[in-house]
Amino acid sequence: MRSAVFHGREDIQVDEIAEPAVESDSVLIEVTAAGICGSDLHEYAAGPIFIPGDAPHPVTGETAPISMGHEFGGEIIEIGEDVDDIAVGDTVTVNPVLYCGECRYCEDGSYHLCESGGFTGLSGGGGGFSEQIAVSSEQAIPVPDDVPAEYAALVEPFSVGLHAVRNAEFSAGDSVAVYGTGPIGLTVVQAAKAAGANPVYAVEPQDARRELAAEVGADETLDPIETDAPEAIIEQSNGGVDATFEVAGIEQTVRDAIRSAKNGGSVTIVSIFEESIAIEPNEIVLGERTVSGTLAYEGGPKSDVEFGAVIDMFADGTLDPEPLITSRIDLGEIVDGFETLLGGEHDEIKILVEP
């Protein structure tokens, strides 16, 4: 079968690989769609980061080259003999969290923080940029018939946004600012609005992304090229917003997110960074601001907690993935998809690969 395989930095190839075997507790999925994520772009441009390079990953035992793609879903075409909670023909999304099951974090149920953890499609175990993939049955989360099958590929990024909002320190009616409205930033905007944030400011230099942020719920959008966004937010919110989210992954947006939070406010960093950055600690200390990081979403035996909530909100319309989908491409076009997203001057948000 065909699969997009990471061989090294700026070297992804669509290879012919062996079809995956189905174990007793696993399921075989024919992939309907898989999304190109910012993490995939980081790996392509600057990796390996999450992808195991020289040393085998402690959970999968694999090193590059590995199949990529961790935002995906599809139809179950075969199940293992011990699987009885899902069936052939079911549409599923996949929670890609991998974990050891033995460290202190796994014992506490925080599987996504596992000391040896990783993600299917980044750490080995196959990937969603493939015609088929076999995964543990606990990773496969059913998607109801009233949710379009391709939306299964959007459950993962929306779970990132939901997890960030759930971990942030704000309540319904509080003001929020989101720095960066790429795919994950847009999920944060939607999740924050669903949680009752009001108003929501979205800061983004690209015109198309600002427009989309307004479409999915931002009350006001700001272009940081044309205006001092923190200054404008501070002025309009009487000293700063209750909570900010940094979803751009650059030094300036981290500094701006801290600056535009009120004294006593919270700053949640969602991005993955390719390089170290500098911040001004006094802006945190003197304002008693809380700065925290958020990683992915819950995984392990409770892998449907946030994934299930997102699926329910897709079904009832609280969250809408459709505006984020800007292109659909064949697996053979995946490198062009990566290059387009890395190009910067484009209107693309989420490119779905349809193997």
Side-chain angles (χ1 to χ4, degrees), residues 51 108 202 305:
I51 290 175
D108 289 342
V305 173

Side-chain angles (χ1 to χ4, degrees), residues 209-234:
R209 293 187 172 194
R210 282 199 312 280
E211 292 170 5
L212 192 50
E215 180 182 336
V216 301
D219 298 289
E220 181 166 350
T221 63
L222 300 102
D223 181 352
I225 306 300
E226 299 294 332
T227 186
D228 185 323
E231 183 177 292
I233 290 171
I234 290 168

Side-chain angles (χ1 to χ4, degrees), residues 88-217:
V88 170
D90 286 353
T91 296
V92 296
T93 185
V94 172
N95 186 320
V97 170
L98 301 173
Y99 60 97
C100 72
E102 300 174 353
C103 69
R104 60 185 290 190
Y105 303 105
C106 289
E107 290 178 352
D108 289 342
S110 300
Y111 299 96
H112 66 298
L113 300 180
C114 172
E115 292 176 344
S116 303
F119 300 88
T120 299
L122 286 172
S123 310
F129 297 142
S130 307
E131 294 175 348
Q132 298 176 4
I133 181 173
V135 300
S136 166
S137 60
E138 78 171 15
Q139 293 180 273
I141 314 300
V143 175
D145 293 339
D146 57 350
V147 174
E150 69 176 3
Y151 287 3
L154 277 298
V155 175
E156 195 272 356
F158 271 88
S159 294
V160 174
L162 179 63
H163 183 73
V165 167
R166 290 176 65 175
N167 283 0
E169 297 179 7
F170 82 92
S171 304
D174 283 353
S175 53
V176 162
V178 179
Y179 281 84
T181 59
I184 299 300
L186 292 169
T187 71
V188 172
V189 168
Q190 288 202 41
K193 289 299 290 186
N198 185 48
V200 172
Y201 300 90
V203 183
E204 168 62 51
Q206 292 189 26
D207 294 344
R209 293 187 172 194
R210 282 199 312 280
E211 292 170 5
L212 192 50
E215 180 182 336
V216 301

Side-chain angles (χ1 to χ4, degrees), residues 225-271:
I225 306 300
E226 299 294 332
T227 186
D228 185 323
E231 183 177 292
I233 290 171
I234 290 168
E235 181 178 349
Q236 295 180 39
S237 60
N238 190 27
V241 292
D242 297 290
T244 65
F245 294 86
E246 193 288 318
V247 208
I250 59 177
E251 180 175 311
Q252 189 61 53
T253 50
V254 174
R255 295 173 69 97
D256 287 352
I258 294 171
R259 180 180 160 204
S260 56
K262 72 177 185 180
N263 291 348
S266 71
V267 179
T268 301
I269 299 175
V270 188
S271 302

